[in-house]
Amino acid sequence: MDLRQLSVDQKNILKQFREAVRDCNLPESDDVYLLRWLVARDFDLAKSEKMLRNSMNWRRKYKIDSLRECYQSPEVLTKYFAAGHIGVDKFHSYLMVMRYGLTDVKGILLSAKKKDCVMHVLTLVENYFSVVKNDPVKFKRSADAISQTTVILDLEGFSMNHITYKPVIDTVIQLIQLYEANYPEFLRRVFIINAPKIFSILFSMLVPFMHEQTRNKILIFNQDSTQWKAALLADIDPQELPVCYGGTMTDPNGNPYCTTKVNMGGVIPKSYYFSCKPDTRNKQPLSISRGAKELLEFQVNQADTVLRWDFHSEDSDIAFAVYRKQGSELIPIVPHDRVDCDVASEEGEIDCDISGVYVVEFDNSFSYLRSKKIWYSITIE
């Protein structure tokens, strides 16, 4: 959709929406950006405003605006996560390929934390907005149109390893939820190709987390390349599509898979794996019942003191946060977030610019069935 297609009522709603969110610090301030949120919520003003404000809070909490400049993905993700930008489709949509079937997703999550996997994907998405912003003529049908992305999700090599390892499913679901909440109208089309029969198991797990608008943008093809190549070429010019997908694009050396743009994934060398369970020496044990949380208070007597933490859990993740006590109120210092700390210790520190009581929170309230045991070390220096 673009601004020229709006009815008189929709134009009035857009005007009201701009006024309602004028206090928000938006990544983009034009009407096209605001239109994304209205389209995603069927021009319901209250729902659109709530969605936008929640997303702005999320961007601020996780410092998304500085992600491209400040976040460094682990090497295992840059070398083995098979996703990249290859060109543009006939609708001026940014064109990406992900070779999910050839990506050793279990190996990645044995070598990198789930948070890093999520941040790596978000960096790819944020790169899209930067590229489009710098070249709107190439990536927008008109100045008034919403820019979008077309994704080719290649499942060649897909196996039960993509389904049976729970952290993989959890990560994919989290990414879908983040997309639905924060990147409205990001997708134009998703082509899922080379889908084996067992893919239906995974897809049935993911569908409940997708909005209907998202589901309607997905086309699924089996391993019959004649069918999916025809569908790809209907939307993508041959020169924008690698030879392996029915186009004419190759790497400079003639490689039909264009691995300079999208790597081929592959099995993760075990040298990348987290070596063993974290060390419990110099750490204190703490058991947290299912549905409960523990708050630990630490007195900081002078400003410019550093509070450091090092903790891990014996099984599954735990939510973590740091607050500063101000009367009866807890002021967030480190945002509340779930941490997958059962395979590697979570370490960090903050500068305590103000003296007072700091509160470290270990939160298991999201777990209705499982208690957690963690080992932690908190120091003040």
Side-chain angles (χ1 to χ4, degrees):
M1 176 177 279
D2 66 39
L3 297 172
R4 295 171 299 180
Q5 296 175 298
L6 299 184
S7 66
V8 173
D9 287 344
Q10 288 172 334
K11 288 179 180 178
N12 287 334
I13 293 171
L14 175 59
K15 185 177 179 180
Q16 293 175 51
F17 188 38
R18 170 171 287 285
E19 184 64 26
V21 300
R22 64 185 302 179
D23 60 307
C24 292
N25 184 20
L26 304 177
E28 300 177 48
S29 58
D30 58 16
D31 283 346
V32 177
Y33 180 77
L34 295 178
L35 181 60
R36 290 181 180 275
W37 307 87
L38 289 172
V39 172
R41 291 296 177 265
D42 296 321
F43 282 83
D44 184 305
L45 185 59
K47 290 181 180 179
S48 300
E49 181 180 352
K50 181 179 179 181
M51 183 186 185
L52 176 59
R53 289 188 181 279
N54 287 342
S55 183
M56 293 305 104
N57 289 336
W58 170 77
R59 294 186 71 89
R60 183 167 55 254
K61 178 178 178 180
Y62 294 101
K63 301 178 180 178
I64 301 299
D65 289 337
S66 60
L67 193 64
R68 293 175 57 250
E69 293 77 20
C70 300
Y71 178 72
Q72 180 64 48
S73 296
E75 181 181 283
V76 68
L77 288 167
T78 58
K79 291 182 69 173
Y80 292 96
F81 188 81
H85 170 222
I86 61 169
V88 64
D89 71 9
K90 293 179 180 178
F91 303 89
H92 293 260
S93 298
Y94 186 92
L95 180 60
M96 293 188 68
V97 167
M98 181 175 183
R99 295 179 170 127
Y100 187 73
L102 295 179
T103 299
D104 179 6
V105 286
K106 181 177 180 179
I108 283 177
L109 284 167
L110 290 172
S111 309
K113 293 185 177 182
K114 183 171 70 174
K115 181 177 181 180
D116 281 314
C117 296
V118 170
M119 287 300 182
H120 181 72
V121 173
L122 292 178
T123 301
L124 295 178
V125 175
E126 292 295 318
N127 281 339
Y128 148 80
F129 286 105
S130 176
V131 171
V132 170
K133 187 175 182 179
N134 291 330
D135 195 354
V137 174
K138 181 176 182 179
F139 294 106
K140 295 181 70 172
R141 281 175 286 181
S142 72
D144 294 329
I146 294 175
S147 62
Q148 293 182 300
T149 297
T150 292
V151 177
I152 301 171
L153 186 65
D154 187 355
L155 297 184
E156 180 182 354
F158 187 90
S159 70
M160 290 301 292
N161 283 337
H162 293 83
I163 300 172
T164 55
Y165 189 53
K166 187 175 181 296
V168 170
I169 305 301
D170 291 343
T171 304
V172 174
I173 288 173
Q174 183 179 355
L175 286 168
I176 290 173
Q177 291 173 322
L178 287 173
Y179 160 73
E180 294 288 7
N182 301 290
Y183 297 101
E185 291 301 295
F186 171 76
L187 290 173
R188 187 195 72 82
R189 177 70 70 205
V190 178
F191 294 96
I192 299 178
I193 64 173
N194 290 318
K197 290 183 179 179
I198 60 171
F199 172 68
S200 61
I201 300 173
L202 175 61
F203 195 67
S204 65
M205 296 178 188
L206 304 181
V207 163
F209 300 94
M210 300 179 191
H211 290 166
E212 183 180 0
Q213 288 178 333
T214 300
R215 296 196 298 269
N216 291 339
K217 296 176 181 181
I218 298 174
L219 299 177
I220 303 175
F221 298 88
N222 62 23
Q223 288 124 323
D224 184 349
S225 62
T226 302
Q227 290 187 4
W228 56 254
K229 284 182 179 179
L232 293 178
L233 288 169
D235 279 16
I236 306 164
D237 288 325
Q239 66 270 21
E240 300 288 340
L241 193 63
V243 168
C244 64
Y245 297 126
T248 60
M249 179 191 292
T250 65
D251 276 337
N253 64 0
N255 188 324
Y257 292 93
C258 298
T259 56
T260 59
K261 296 178 181 290
V262 186
N263 70 58
M264 297 297 290
V267 176
I268 306 296
K270 291 191 175 179
S271 58
Y272 282 104
Y273 281 22
F274 295 122
S275 58
C276 59
K277 286 290 184 180
D279 194 349
T280 60
R281 290 176 298 181
N282 302 317
K283 291 181 179 178
Q284 300 181 56
L286 178 64
S287 295
I288 308 171
S289 301
R290 64 180 188 269
K293 64 177 67 176
E294 294 289 338
L295 300 175
L296 308 178
E297 295 190 355
F298 297 88
Q299 179 68 48
V300 173
N301 293 319
Q302 60 184 41
D304 300 322
T305 297
V306 177
L307 186 151
R308 292 189 175 89
W309 59 85
D310 179 357
F311 66 89
H312 70 271
S313 69
E314 290 190 353
D315 183 31
S316 195
D317 61 352
I318 197 78
F320 175 77
V322 179
Y323 306 93
R324 179 171 54 81
K325 209 168 185 179
Q326 184 172 298
S328 60
E329 187 178 1
L330 294 179
I331 309 300
I333 306 299
V334 176
H336 181 281
D337 199 14
R338 287 173 65 170
V339 180
D340 51 327
C341 55
D342 54 321
V343 292
S345 289
E346 181 73 11
E347 300 178 26
E349 63 180 47
I350 56 169
D351 294 322
C352 301
D353 299 326
I354 302 173
S355 61
V357 175
Y358 286 74
V359 179
V360 173
E361 177 185 69
F362 294 106
D363 183 5
N364 194 38
S365 60
F366 59 86
S367 181
Y368 296 104
L369 302 175
R370 183 184 299 175
S371 298
K372 308 284 173 63
K373 184 176 182 178
I374 65 168
W375 294 83
Y376 74 93
S377 170
I378 309 289
T379 59
I380 297 172
E381 299 175 1

